[in-house]
Amino acid sequence: VQLVESGGGLVQAGRSLRLSCTASERTFTTHAMAWFRQAEGEERLFLAAITWNSGTTRYADSVRGRFTISRETDKNTVYLQMNNLQPDDTAVYYCGSSRALGSTAEGYMYWGQGTQVTVSS
């Protein structure tokens, strides 16, 4: 399974971005898709996850209400809409696939290459 992220970039604080992650295929190993981020020198942190079949979602408390995860099953694509971005949101954003709707990086089997998001003040 290959995952390809896109949509990152440089934005000013308070603006929005939408990230995309397209999967090469959907199997039992891609039951759930998630977004994580990793700032320089820090661990990879869970943001949000969604299941392909039912669209059930899960969010980290830190982004709930500000970030929204969604999917388009016919395009094998998952999105992360990020609103009111702040400098602390600066990181490399990764999508991952898993057999379950988990919130730990260890539970995700496949990862994309990451897309950089930089928020200026």
Side-chain angles (χ1 to χ4, degrees):
V1 177
Q2 292 184 330
L3 306 177
V4 179
E5 302 104 332
S6 62
L10 172 64
V11 296
Q12 291 183 325
R15 304 299 292 269
S16 299
L17 274 178
R18 190 178 77 158
L19 306 181
S20 301
C21 173
T22 299
S24 59
E25 60 184 289
R26 286 195 283 139
T27 70
F28 69 96
T29 62
T30 61
H31 169 71
M33 300 288 289
W35 287 98
F36 288 71
R37 70 185 179 193
Q38 188 167 18
E40 188 171 351
E42 298 185 10
E43 63 182 9
R44 193 167 294 190
L45 298 178
F46 172 77
L47 299 174
I50 190 168
T51 60
W52 282 117
N53 290 342
S54 65
T56 301
T57 58
R58 182 173 183 176
Y59 290 94
D61 289 341
S62 59
V63 301
R64 188 187 308 274
R66 196 163 61 94
F67 290 7
T68 302
I69 191 169
S70 61
R71 88 259 191 251
E72 281 193 84
T73 55
D74 58 342
K75 296 182 179 180
N76 283 1
T77 299
V78 174
Y79 304 99
L80 185 67
Q81 176 68 40
M82 306 185 294
N83 297 328
N84 190 25
L85 286 163
Q86 299 300 315
D88 285 349
D89 294 315
T90 295
V92 178
Y93 285 67
Y94 296 91
C95 69
S97 67
S98 173
R99 299 178 182 180
L101 194 67
S103 62
T104 60
E106 292 76 13
Y108 285 78
M109 300 175 62
Y110 299 99
W111 294 94
Q113 80 287 354
T115 185
Q116 177 71 46
V117 172
T118 303
V119 184
S120 62
S121 58

